């Protein structure tokens, strides 16, 4: 068993297959061996690690994810129902899951999360995206005008 410790001190025990879905954890275990000491994950809270572990346990035997990963970003019909349901969470939590998956180097989860966000934002206006994701508009009016001109030339 591999023991993981979240940033808030919560401990998680996972089998090797589950843990090795994370390239970071796999590399740590490969380099150091399995010890009784937990692997500290300072960038992942317990709340988010619960979700990460749940995803990895579900997919640990999924050969599709470990070998030739289908490009879900091109064809989201390849996403199974469990994954669709898994990503039904509030925006803040979803972004923290994606960030943690990136830190842990769990590529299929990063791809799934990015697709979920892309599906949300493609229906929103620029202003709605800014409001929903707290994106500051720090362009000057002159910069905005320049961007509009460049976009027009690209059409």
């Amino acid at each position: 068993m591999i023991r993981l410790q979240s940033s808030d001190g919560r401990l998680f025990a996972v089998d090797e297959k589950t843990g090795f879905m994370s390239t970071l954890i796999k590399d740590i275990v490969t380099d150091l061996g399995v010890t009784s000491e937990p692997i500290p994950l300072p960038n992942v809270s317990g709340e988010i690690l619960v979700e990460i572990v749940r995803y990895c346990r579900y997919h640990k035997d999924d050969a599709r994810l470990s070998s030739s990963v289908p490009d879900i970003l091109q064809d989201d019909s390849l996403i199974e129902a469990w994954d669709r349901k898994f990503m039904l969470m509030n925006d803040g939590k979803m972004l923290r899951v994606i960030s943690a998956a990136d830190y842990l180097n769990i590529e299929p989860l990063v791809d799934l999360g990015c697709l979920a966000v892309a599906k949300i934002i493609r229906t929103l206006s620029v202003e709605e995206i800014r409001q929903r994701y707290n994106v500051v508009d720090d362009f000057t009016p002159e910069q905005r005008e320049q961007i509009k001109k460049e976009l027009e030339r690209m059409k």
Side-chain angles (χ1 to χ4, degrees):
M1 288 300 263
I2 299 170
R3 296 180 59 213
L4 309 173
Q5 184 172 20
S6 65
S7 62
D8 51 357
R10 290 178 61 185
L11 295 174
F12 297 80
V14 297
D15 62 87
E16 196 172 89
K17 262 186 154 177
T18 299
F20 281 14
M21 286 203 59
S22 161
T23 303
L24 175 72
I25 292 170
K26 182 178 181 179
D27 290 348
I28 290 171
V29 170
T30 301
D31 290 347
L32 303 177
V34 177
T35 68
S36 61
E37 292 297 311
I39 297 170
L41 301 173
N43 296 342
V44 186
S45 70
E47 173 195 18
I48 300 305
L49 194 52
V50 164
E51 300 301 328
I52 299 285
V53 168
R54 187 166 68 99
Y55 176 88
C56 290
R57 280 187 177 139
Y58 182 83
H59 284 293
K60 69 181 178 181
D61 293 317
D62 194 340
R64 278 184 319 120
L65 297 178
S66 61
S67 58
S68 59
V69 179
D71 192 355
I72 62 171
L73 298 177
Q74 297 299 321
D75 183 1
D76 68 1
S77 70
L78 298 171
I79 300 171
E80 58 182 85
W82 189 93
D83 288 332
R84 290 179 196 278
K85 187 174 179 184
F86 176 80
M87 291 311 298
L88 294 176
M89 56 185 76
N90 70 53
D91 291 345
K93 188 174 188 178
M94 185 185 307
L95 294 175
R96 290 190 306 275
V97 165
I98 296 167
S99 179
D102 183 53
Y103 167 70
L104 293 167
N105 200 353
I106 306 170
E107 189 175 335
L109 182 52
V110 172
D111 289 347
L112 178 66
C114 289
L115 178 64
V117 171
K119 289 180 80 154
I120 292 168
I121 66 173
R122 74 176 166 202
T123 64
L124 303 176
S125 70
V126 172
E127 189 54 39
E128 289 169 325
I129 293 169
R130 282 192 183 114
Q131 289 175 352
R132 186 167 182 161
Y133 295 102
N134 298 317
V135 177
V136 177
D137 179 5
D138 58 355
F139 289 112
T140 65
E142 295 81 22
Q143 289 172 320
R144 263 191 236 101
E145 192 58 38
Q146 180 66 30
I147 291 170
K148 283 181 186 177
K149 287 178 184 175
E150 289 176 18
L151 290 174
E152 283 299 317
R153 280 188 292 196
M154 295 172 122
K155 289 183 180 178

